[in-house]
Structure formats: structure tokens, C-alpha cells
Amino acid sequence: VRAVALLREDELRPVVGLVSDLAGCDRQFHPVAAPVVRDALEGLASMERQVASLVMEGATNREIAARLFISVKTVEATLTRVYRKLGIRSRVDIVRLAAGRRTT
């Protein structure tokens, strides 16, 4: 439910803008249909979905650890599993997935 709420253009625009600036991309916003992101996240375990959703919100590993009451190392390990399951390489790719961009 939280990941779907993040797909609203007004909530993702700041994150996408920041990631675009860091990645040197254009700032054009291309929201993806909610079912596409939901399908991608459905293959993840509960903790993996929570961590991915917080990454989509722009939270740092330390912030995620504090919010979920887990260690930073657990966040890092969980993100590694998320990357592998989604076939991506970084947290930037998670945001790109949510924004409907290619993850090259």
C-alpha cells in the first residue's frame, strides 16, 4: 500500500529530481502505472518491500534502520537481496523503477 502511495507524482517528484541531478539525467518525470511497481515489489519478502519503499522515499540506510528498528548492516544485506531479485544494481535504480525509468 505504501509503495502504491509513493507513485503519486507529487510525492515522487522531489526524489526523482534529486536522483536525476545526481545521475546527470534529464528531469522529465515519467510515472509508471501502479501495477508495474506493485508486480516488481510482490516478488520481495516483507522486509525487502519495506526497505525498498523507504529507499523510494529517499531515506538513507541509517534512517531506514532507525525506522524499522534493525541494524544498518541488516539494511545493507536486505538491499543486496532486493537488487538481486529486481535485477538492478543500486538504490538509484529502485527510484528509477518507481518513476518508470529504465534501469540500464
Side-chain angles (χ1 to χ4, degrees), residues 2-12 29 31-38 56 97-100:
R2 188 177 215 166
V4 174
L6 289 172
L7 293 173
R8 291 201 320 251
E9 184 173 337
D10 59 325
E11 291 182 10
L12 264 182
F29 184 73
V32 70
V36 174
V37 172
R38 192 171 342 143
M56 288 177 197
L97 174 68

Side-chain angles (χ1 to χ4, degrees), residues 6-55:
L6 289 172
L7 293 173
R8 291 201 320 251
E9 184 173 337
D10 59 325
E11 291 182 10
L12 264 182
R13 188 176 300 277
V15 175
V16 173
L18 175 63
V19 171
S20 294
D21 288 346
L22 292 173
C25 301
D26 65 6
R27 295 198 61 168
Q28 191 174 9
F29 184 73
H30 301 286
V32 70
V36 174
V37 172
R38 192 171 342 143
D39 289 346
L41 296 180
E42 277 182 9
L44 302 178
S46 176
M47 178 64 71
E48 294 165 350
R49 276 194 307 274
Q50 290 176 13
V51 169
S53 293
L54 290 170
V55 168

Side-chain angles (χ1 to χ4, degrees), residues 39-90:
D39 289 346
L41 296 180
E42 277 182 9
L44 302 178
S46 176
M47 178 64 71
E48 294 165 350
R49 276 194 307 274
Q50 290 176 13
V51 169
S53 293
L54 290 170
V55 168
M56 288 177 197
E57 289 179 17
T60 65
N61 288 0
R62 184 174 284 183
E63 292 167 339
I64 294 167
R67 286 171 78 175
L68 298 179
F69 303 103
I70 59 177
S71 72
V72 174
K73 291 285 188 191
T74 300
V75 173
E76 292 168 356
T78 302
L79 278 173
T80 298
R81 287 192 307 275
V82 169
Y83 299 158
R84 185 176 58 245
K85 287 182 178 182
L86 296 179
I88 59 178
R89 289 181 251 165
S90 71

